[in-house]
Amino acid sequence: MLTTLQTTYTDTRAADLAWALGRDRLPALAVLNLQLQDAKVELRLLGASHQVLLEEGEVRCSETVACMPGSRTPLPLGVAKRVGDWEYEFAARVETLSRGSFAGRAQELLALVADHPNGLAGTFPGDPHAFTAMLAQRHEGQVRWRTWHAYPQEGQLVATRTRVGVRMGAPV
């Protein structure tokens, strides 16, 4: 699903992004609710990037990657944590692209996510290449999602990957 977000572009630099696990639900500009087998996944586009809420059985997980005033946790390259009997793994990378490469990559990602039943993307007014996009799936007992945050004025694309699933050796 592709939408135009009716807000100003607030997180205008990749360096302003922060990561948080376990935050409460934040106000969203667009939401996609998914049922991936027994897992309820809520993809949320915020005015300041994204939030994913996951619920399966007794396990609840909330990931926020956004411009969060007062946050002391910058965007990490990688995180591994235990959430109940589940393992949570997060990875992020920042790509810097030329103007032409950036525009092509932005169009490619928006097309991928817009046409996917488990995808949500929002463009910001003023620049068609300023966007946040999210894609979720269930694979081999794990819930996974990828996100992309585009900063055309810097030529930067922030890509994240998250995986949440049962710990090896944990009772199912």
Side-chain angles (χ1 to χ4, degrees):
M1 179 172 88
L2 178 61
T3 186
T4 299
L5 302 172
Q6 300 303 314
T7 187
T8 56
Y9 192 39
T10 58
D11 61 335
T12 57
R13 294 177 6 159
D16 291 340
L17 285 177
W19 168 87
L21 189 62
R23 284 190 71 126
D24 290 335
R25 177 178 272 119
L26 295 172
L29 300 171
V31 176
L32 179 63
N33 291 300
L34 301 171
Q35 187 72 41
L36 303 177
Q37 294 175 356
D38 294 334
K40 293 179 185 175
V41 179
E42 192 173 316
L43 303 179
R44 303 171 60 78
L45 295 178
L46 312 176
S49 287
H50 88 256
Q51 186 173 53
V52 177
L53 306 176
L54 167 65
E55 181 180 327
E56 185 169 358
E58 299 298 313
V59 178
R60 285 173 176 62
C61 179
S62 165
E63 171 190 281
T64 306
V65 172
C67 176
M68 296 179 276
S71 176
R72 298 185 190 273
T73 307
L75 190 64
L77 294 178
V79 174
K81 291 193 173 271
R82 189 176 293 174
V83 178
D85 284 336
W86 289 36
E87 289 292 330
Y88 167 92
E89 294 179 7
F90 171 87
R93 66 183 165 80
V94 179
E95 293 178 60
T96 302
L97 305 164
S98 69
R99 184 174 296 278
S101 294
F102 188 92
R105 183 77 171 127
Q107 290 173 350
E108 176 183 279
L109 288 169
L110 286 171
L112 169 75
V113 175
D115 294 337
H116 197 286
N118 296 344
L120 176 62
T123 58
F124 291 88
D127 190 328
H129 300 127
F131 68 89
T132 300
M134 310 168 72
L135 187 62
Q137 67 177 354
R138 181 153 192 129
H139 182 70
E140 296 179 356
Q142 298 178 329
V143 177
R144 301 174 182 199
W145 57 88
R146 295 186 65 189
T147 73
W148 299 271
H149 305 261
Y151 300 93
Q153 71 283 6
E154 294 184 314
Q156 291 189 319
L157 184 67
V158 178
T160 73
R161 289 178 184 256
T162 302
R163 179 173 66 176
V164 180
V166 176
R167 270 190 303 132
M168 299 305 286
V172 178

Short mmCIF file of all heavy atoms in Angstrom, two decimals, residues 23-64:
data_model
loop_
_atom_site.label_atom_id
_atom_site.label_comp_id
_atom_site.label_asym_id
_atom_site.label_seq_id
_atom_site.Cartn_x
_atom_site.Cartn_y
_atom_site.Cartn_z
N ARG A 23 8.68 0.70 23.28
CA ARG A 23 7.93 1.96 23.45
C ARG A 23 6.44 1.71 23.27
O ARG A 23 6.02 0.83 22.53
CB ARG A 23 8.38 2.99 22.43
CG ARG A 23 9.73 3.59 22.79
CD ARG A 23 10.03 4.75 21.91
NE ARG A 23 9.17 5.88 22.24
CZ ARG A 23 9.59 7.09 22.53
NH1 ARG A 23 10.87 7.33 22.53
NH2 ARG A 23 8.76 8.06 22.79
N ASP A 24 5.65 2.55 23.91
CA ASP A 24 4.20 2.50 23.73
C ASP A 24 3.84 2.92 22.31
O ASP A 24 4.64 3.56 21.62
CB ASP A 24 3.51 3.43 24.73
CG ASP A 24 3.59 2.92 26.16
OD1 ASP A 24 3.74 1.70 26.35
OD2 ASP A 24 3.54 3.76 27.07
N ARG A 25 2.62 2.58 21.91
CA ARG A 25 2.10 2.95 20.59
C ARG A 25 2.14 4.46 20.45
O ARG A 25 1.69 5.19 21.33
CB ARG A 25 0.66 2.43 20.49
CG ARG A 25 -0.04 2.80 19.23
CD ARG A 25 -1.46 2.22 19.18
NE ARG A 25 -1.35 0.89 18.61
CZ ARG A 25 -1.70 -0.23 19.23
NH1 ARG A 25 -2.19 -0.18 20.44
NH2 ARG A 25 -1.57 -1.39 18.65
N LEU A 26 2.70 4.91 19.33
CA LEU A 26 2.79 6.34 19.03
C LEU A 26 1.75 6.71 17.98
O LEU A 26 1.30 5.85 17.22
CB LEU A 26 4.19 6.67 18.50
CG LEU A 26 5.34 6.46 19.50
CD1 LEU A 26 6.68 6.62 18.80
CD2 LEU A 26 5.22 7.43 20.66
N PRO A 27 1.36 7.97 17.90
CA PRO A 27 0.40 8.38 16.86
C PRO A 27 0.97 8.08 15.48
O PRO A 27 2.14 8.34 15.21
CB PRO A 27 0.26 9.89 17.08
CG PRO A 27 0.72 10.13 18.49
CD PRO A 27 1.75 9.08 18.77
N ALA A 28 0.12 7.51 14.62
CA ALA A 28 0.56 7.11 13.28
C ALA A 28 -0.22 7.88 12.21
O ALA A 28 -1.37 8.24 12.40
CB ALA A 28 0.36 5.62 13.09
N LEU A 29 0.45 8.06 11.07
CA LEU A 29 -0.18 8.70 9.92
C LEU A 29 -0.77 7.67 8.97
O LEU A 29 -1.66 7.97 8.19
CB LEU A 29 0.85 9.54 9.17
CG LEU A 29 1.48 10.66 10.00
CD1 LEU A 29 2.63 11.29 9.25
CD2 LEU A 29 0.43 11.69 10.36
N ALA A 30 -0.25 6.44 9.02
CA ALA A 30 -0.77 5.33 8.21
C ALA A 30 -0.45 4.03 8.95
O ALA A 30 0.60 3.91 9.58
CB ALA A 30 -0.15 5.32 6.82
N VAL A 31 -1.39 3.07 8.87
CA VAL A 31 -1.25 1.80 9.58
C VAL A 31 -1.68 0.67 8.66
O VAL A 31 -2.67 0.79 7.94
CB VAL A 31 -2.12 1.78 10.86
CG1 VAL A 31 -2.05 0.43 11.56
CG2 VAL A 31 -1.71 2.89 11.82
N LEU A 32 -0.94 -0.43 8.71
CA LEU A 32 -1.33 -1.65 8.02
C LEU A 32 -1.32 -2.77 9.04
O LEU A 32 -0.29 -3.07 9.64
CB LEU A 32 -0.36 -1.98 6.87
CG LEU A 32 -0.67 -3.26 6.08
CD1 LEU A 32 -2.03 -3.16 5.37
CD2 LEU A 32 0.44 -3.54 5.08
N ASN A 33 -2.50 -3.37 9.28
CA ASN A 33 -2.62 -4.49 10.20
C ASN A 33 -2.53 -5.79 9.41
O ASN A 33 -3.24 -5.97 8.43
CB ASN A 33 -3.97 -4.44 10.95
CG ASN A 33 -4.01 -3.28 11.92
OD1 ASN A 33 -3.20 -3.21 12.83
ND2 ASN A 33 -4.94 -2.37 11.71
N LEU A 34 -1.67 -6.69 9.88
CA LEU A 34 -1.44 -7.97 9.21
C LEU A 34 -1.64 -9.11 10.17
O LEU A 34 -1.36 -8.99 11.36
CB LEU A 34 0.00 -8.03 8.67
CG LEU A 34 0.43 -6.96 7.69
CD1 LEU A 34 1.92 -7.05 7.44
CD2 LEU A 34 -0.34 -7.12 6.39
N GLN A 35 -2.12 -10.23 9.66
CA GLN A 35 -2.20 -11.47 10.40
C GLN A 35 -1.26 -12.44 9.68
O GLN A 35 -1.54 -12.88 8.57
CB GLN A 35 -3.64 -12.02 10.42
CG GLN A 35 -3.83 -13.22 11.31
CD GLN A 35 -3.79 -12.87 12.80
OE1 GLN A 35 -4.33 -11.86 13.23
NE2 GLN A 35 -3.13 -13.70 13.58
N LEU A 36 -0.13 -12.73 10.28
CA LEU A 36 0.85 -13.65 9.70
C LEU A 36 0.82 -14.93 10.52
O LEU A 36 1.51 -15.03 11.52
CB LEU A 36 2.25 -13.02 9.68
CG LEU A 36 2.37 -11.68 8.94
CD1 LEU A 36 3.78 -11.13 9.05
CD2 LEU A 36 1.98 -11.84 7.48
N GLN A 37 -0.03 -15.85 10.12
CA GLN A 37 -0.34 -17.06 10.87
C GLN A 37 -0.85 -16.63 12.25
O GLN A 37 -1.83 -15.92 12.31
CB GLN A 37 0.84 -18.01 10.92
CG GLN A 37 1.20 -18.56 9.56
CD GLN A 37 2.44 -19.42 9.58
OE1 GLN A 37 3.13 -19.57 10.57
NE2 GLN A 37 2.74 -20.00 8.42
N ASP A 38 -0.17 -17.00 13.33
CA ASP A 38 -0.66 -16.65 14.67
C ASP A 38 -0.19 -15.28 15.14
O ASP A 38 -0.53 -14.85 16.24
CB ASP A 38 -0.21 -17.70 15.70
CG ASP A 38 -0.86 -19.06 15.44
OD1 ASP A 38 -1.96 -19.09 14.85
OD2 ASP A 38 -0.27 -20.08 15.83
N ALA A 39 0.60 -14.61 14.35
CA ALA A 39 1.17 -13.32 14.76
C ALA A 39 0.34 -12.16 14.21
O ALA A 39 -0.01 -12.14 13.04
CB ALA A 39 2.60 -13.21 14.26
N LYS A 40 0.07 -11.21 15.08
CA LYS A 40 -0.56 -9.95 14.68
C LYS A 40 0.56 -8.93 14.56
O LYS A 40 1.32 -8.71 15.51
CB LYS A 40 -1.56 -9.47 15.72
CG LYS A 40 -2.77 -10.36 15.85
CD LYS A 40 -3.70 -9.83 16.93
CE LYS A 40 -4.85 -10.79 17.15
NZ LYS A 40 -5.70 -10.36 18.26
N VAL A 41 0.66 -8.33 13.39
CA VAL A 41 1.71 -7.35 13.13
C VAL A 41 1.03 -6.05 12.70
O VAL A 41 0.15 -6.05 11.86
CB VAL A 41 2.68 -7.82 12.03
CG1 VAL A 41 3.75 -6.77 11.76
CG2 VAL A 41 3.31 -9.16 12.40
N GLU A 42 1.47 -4.96 13.29
CA GLU A 42 0.95 -3.65 12.95
C GLU A 42 2.12 -2.80 12.46
O GLU A 42 3.04 -2.49 13.22
CB GLU A 42 0.30 -3.01 14.19
CG GLU A 42 -0.51 -1.79 13.91
CD GLU A 42 -1.26 -1.32 15.15
OE1 GLU A 42 -1.84 -2.14 15.87
OE2 GLU A 42 -1.23 -0.09 15.37
N LEU A 43 2.10 -2.48 11.16
CA LEU A 43 3.10 -1.60 10.58
C LEU A 43 2.57 -0.18 10.68
O LEU A 43 1.46 0.10 10.23
CB LEU A 43 3.36 -1.97 9.11
CG LEU A 43 3.80 -3.40 8.82
CD1 LEU A 43 3.99 -3.61 7.31
CD2 LEU A 43 5.08 -3.74 9.57
N ARG A 44 3.36 0.72 11.25
CA ARG A 44 2.89 2.08 11.52
C ARG A 44 3.89 3.09 10.97
O ARG A 44 5.06 3.06 11.33
CB ARG A 44 2.73 2.28 13.03
CG ARG A 44 1.78 1.27 13.66
CD ARG A 44 1.80 1.33 15.19
NE ARG A 44 1.41 2.64 15.69
CZ ARG A 44 0.16 3.08 15.77
NH1 ARG A 44 -0.84 2.31 15.39
NH2 ARG A 44 -0.11 4.28 16.24
N LEU A 45 3.42 3.96 10.09
CA LEU A 45 4.23 5.06 9.60
C LEU A 45 3.96 6.28 10.49
O LEU A 45 2.81 6.69 10.66
CB LEU A 45 3.89 5.40 8.15
CG LEU A 45 4.22 4.32 7.13
CD1 LEU A 45 3.78 4.76 5.74
CD2 LEU A 45 5.70 3.98 7.15
N LEU A 46 5.02 6.81 11.04
CA LEU A 46 4.93 7.96 11.93
C LEU A 46 5.37 9.20 11.15
O LEU A 46 6.03 9.10 10.13
CB LEU A 46 5.86 7.77 13.13
CG LEU A 46 5.79 6.42 13.85
CD1 LEU A 46 6.85 6.37 14.95
CD2 LEU A 46 4.41 6.17 14.42
N GLY A 47 5.07 10.36 11.65
CA GLY A 47 5.58 11.57 11.04
C GLY A 47 7.11 11.61 11.13
O GLY A 47 7.77 12.30 10.37
N ALA A 48 7.65 10.83 12.04
CA ALA A 48 9.10 10.81 12.26
C ALA A 48 9.67 9.41 12.02
O ALA A 48 10.61 9.01 12.65
CB ALA A 48 9.41 11.27 13.67
N SER A 49 9.09 8.63 11.13
CA SER A 49 9.58 7.35 10.61
C SER A 49 8.67 6.17 10.90
O SER A 49 7.56 6.16 10.43
CB SER A 49 11.03 7.10 10.93
OG SER A 49 11.81 7.95 10.13
N HIS A 50 9.11 5.12 11.67
CA HIS A 50 8.26 3.93 11.76
C HIS A 50 8.19 3.32 13.16
O HIS A 50 9.06 3.54 13.99
CB HIS A 50 8.71 2.86 10.75
CG HIS A 50 9.76 1.91 11.27
ND1 HIS A 50 11.07 2.00 10.91
CD2 HIS A 50 9.67 0.83 12.09
CE1 HIS A 50 11.75 1.03 11.50
NE2 HIS A 50 10.94 0.31 12.22
N GLN A 51 7.13 2.51 13.31
CA GLN A 51 6.96 1.69 14.50
C GLN A 51 6.31 0.38 14.05
O GLN A 51 5.41 0.39 13.22
CB GLN A 51 6.07 2.39 15.53
CG GLN A 51 5.98 1.65 16.85
CD GLN A 51 5.22 2.46 17.90
OE1 GLN A 51 4.11 2.91 17.66
NE2 GLN A 51 5.83 2.63 19.06
N VAL A 52 6.80 -0.74 14.60
CA VAL A 52 6.21 -2.04 14.33
C VAL A 52 5.79 -2.63 15.67
O VAL A 52 6.58 -2.67 16.62
CB VAL A 52 7.20 -3.00 13.63
CG1 VAL A 52 6.57 -4.37 13.43
CG2 VAL A 52 7.65 -2.43 12.29
N LEU A 53 4.54 -3.07 15.73
CA LEU A 53 4.02 -3.74 16.92
C LEU A 53 3.73 -5.19 16.54
O LEU A 53 3.06 -5.45 15.55
CB LEU A 53 2.74 -3.06 17.41
CG LEU A 53 2.85 -1.54 17.67
CD1 LEU A 53 1.49 -0.99 18.06
CD2 LEU A 53 3.88 -1.24 18.72
N LEU A 54 4.26 -6.11 17.34
CA LEU A 54 4.10 -7.54 17.09
C LEU A 54 3.49 -8.17 18.33
O LEU A 54 3.92 -7.90 19.45
CB LEU A 54 5.47 -8.18 16.80
CG LEU A 54 5.55 -9.70 16.81
CD1 LEU A 54 4.72 -10.31 15.70
CD2 LEU A 54 7.01 -10.13 16.70
N GLU A 55 2.50 -9.03 18.10
CA GLU A 55 1.88 -9.76 19.20
C GLU A 55 1.63 -11.18 18.73
O GLU A 55 1.03 -11.40 17.68
CB GLU A 55 0.56 -9.09 19.58
CG GLU A 55 -0.16 -9.74 20.73
CD GLU A 55 -1.47 -9.02 21.05
OE1 GLU A 55 -1.54 -7.79 20.89
OE2 GLU A 55 -2.41 -9.73 21.45
N GLU A 56 2.13 -12.12 19.50
CA GLU A 56 1.86 -13.53 19.22
C GLU A 56 1.82 -14.27 20.55
O GLU A 56 2.82 -14.31 21.27
CB GLU A 56 2.92 -14.15 18.30
CG GLU A 56 2.55 -15.58 17.93
CD GLU A 56 3.42 -16.15 16.83
OE1 GLU A 56 4.29 -15.45 16.31
OE2 GLU A 56 3.21 -17.32 16.49
N GLY A 57 0.65 -14.82 20.87
CA GLY A 57 0.48 -15.46 22.18
C GLY A 57 0.73 -14.45 23.28
O GLY A 57 0.17 -13.37 23.28
N GLU A 58 1.63 -14.79 24.19
CA GLU A 58 1.95 -13.89 25.31
C GLU A 58 3.06 -12.91 24.97
O GLU A 58 3.39 -12.04 25.77
CB GLU A 58 2.36 -14.73 26.53
CG GLU A 58 1.27 -15.67 27.02
CD GLU A 58 0.03 -14.90 27.47
OE1 GLU A 58 0.16 -13.91 28.21
OE2 GLU A 58 -1.08 -15.30 27.05
N VAL A 59 3.69 -13.06 23.82
CA VAL A 59 4.82 -12.22 23.46
C VAL A 59 4.35 -10.96 22.76
O VAL A 59 3.55 -11.01 21.84
CB VAL A 59 5.81 -13.00 22.56
CG1 VAL A 59 6.97 -12.10 22.15
CG2 VAL A 59 6.32 -14.24 23.24
N ARG A 60 4.87 -9.85 23.23
CA ARG A 60 4.60 -8.56 22.60
C ARG A 60 5.94 -7.86 22.38
O ARG A 60 6.80 -7.87 23.26
CB ARG A 60 3.72 -7.69 23.49
CG ARG A 60 2.27 -8.14 23.48
CD ARG A 60 1.45 -7.37 24.50
NE ARG A 60 0.05 -7.68 24.49
CZ ARG A 60 -0.50 -8.85 24.75
NH1 ARG A 60 0.26 -9.88 24.99
NH2 ARG A 60 -1.80 -9.03 24.75
N CYS A 61 6.06 -7.26 21.22
CA CYS A 61 7.30 -6.58 20.87
C CYS A 61 6.94 -5.29 20.16
O CYS A 61 6.06 -5.27 19.30
CB CYS A 61 8.13 -7.50 19.96
SG CYS A 61 9.69 -6.79 19.41
N SER A 62 7.62 -4.21 20.51
CA SER A 62 7.41 -2.92 19.87
C SER A 62 8.77 -2.36 19.48
O SER A 62 9.64 -2.19 20.34
CB SER A 62 6.73 -1.96 20.85
OG SER A 62 6.82 -0.64 20.39
N GLU A 63 8.94 -2.10 18.18
CA GLU A 63 10.18 -1.50 17.68
C GLU A 63 9.86 -0.14 17.11
O GLU A 63 8.92 0.00 16.33
CB GLU A 63 10.79 -2.38 16.58
CG GLU A 63 11.97 -1.71 15.87
CD GLU A 63 12.39 -2.48 14.65
OE1 GLU A 63 13.09 -3.50 14.83
OE2 GLU A 63 12.02 -2.07 13.51
N THR A 64 10.64 0.85 17.49
CA THR A 64 10.47 2.20 16.96
C THR A 64 11.81 2.68 16.42
O THR A 64 12.82 2.61 17.11
CB THR A 64 9.98 3.17 18.05
OG1 THR A 64 8.79 2.63 18.65
CG2 THR A 64 9.68 4.55 17.47
#
